[in-house]
Amino acid sequence: MSKSKLMSHLVAGYPTDEIAFTAARALVKGGADILEIQLPFSDPSADGPAIQGACTKVLHRNYRTADGLSFIAKLHQEFPEIKIYLMSYGSLVYTPGVENFCKRASLAGVSGMIIPDLPFDNDEGLTAACRANGMENIPVAAPSMSQARLSKLAHAGFPYIYAALRTGITGTNTTIDKSTLDFLDKVKEGGSKVYGGFGISNGEQAKAIASTVEAIVAGSVFVKIITEYQDDKEKLAAAVEAKARELSQL
């Protein structure tokens, strides 16, 4: 079987930093090429129940942006060869100042930023601040975009674009059909490499898009495993690693 690239999503600090780190180690062991680390946010508009619940639980511990960046720095120290992308929402980036936030993220070891609610052409200076600090801004494309807007994004010169495979919230099942693959082809039109995700939870779905995308993105499936096995770190690590292998070894 050939290896497909996998970007796996984790909520920083969920349910504890120690357990989240156990999951991250298992993801890397299972073949994850990129770790997408979400800073917990109180109103995550694109996230389904699994990720919303995880964010809420972490925020109840008074978890702050600084804690999330410390978690990322520790990950980067242990896995310097693994790309780390930071995923969050605009207000967390905008409130401390976009340039300031990007500088802190870069120092923690972040390679790229995924901020779904900052539009690619009105991003409060995020793209420029990322580049100034050696990172990439990775904008999000959605099937709900007009054809003209999707084309504008595809030809805007971003090295990477995150393609949400359907509209709505993540964590529910996604059907990969011809319209999905046509959408991915449109996102790739301008030469950007595409990360495809949103509701990817099994090898069959991953296989359906593997040849079209730079990496398969999976998140809620791992958050659900962590939730299920959070009281048994050995079972958690084994289940996370097995799922990562299923999604990446196609």
Side-chain angles (χ1 to χ4, degrees), residues 20-36:
F21 214 90
T22 298
R25 283 193 177 111
L27 286 167
V28 173
K29 197 174 175 186
D33 304 273
I34 303 163
L35 295 175
E36 179 192 5

Side-chain angles (χ1 to χ4, degrees), residues 9 12 24 29 41 51 58 62 69 71 81 104 109 119 133 163 165 176 197 210 221 227 235 250:
H9 177 112
K29 197 174 175 186
F41 187 62
I51 292 174
V58 178
N62 292 317
L69 291 175
F71 176 76
E81 75 288 357
R104 290 168 67 197
N133 288 281
L165 299 179
I176 310 296
V221 63
T227 301
K235 280 186 180 174
L250 301 172

Side-chain angles (χ1 to χ4, degrees), residues 82-86 105-106 109-113 134-138:
I82 297 286
K83 271 187 178 180
I84 297 177
Y85 291 157
L86 185 154
S106 178
V110 172
S111 305
M113 304 269 281
M135 302 185 297
E136 296 294 346
N137 176 28
I138 302 162

Side-chain angles (χ1 to χ4, degrees), residues 40-51:
F41 187 62
S42 56
D43 185 24
S45 56
D47 299 321
I51 292 174

Side-chain angles (χ1 to χ4, degrees), residues 1 7 58 64 82 125 144 173 246:
M1 288 190 291
M7 184 200 300
V58 178
R64 299 283 181 254
I82 297 286
S144 56
N173 198 45
E246 179 192 341

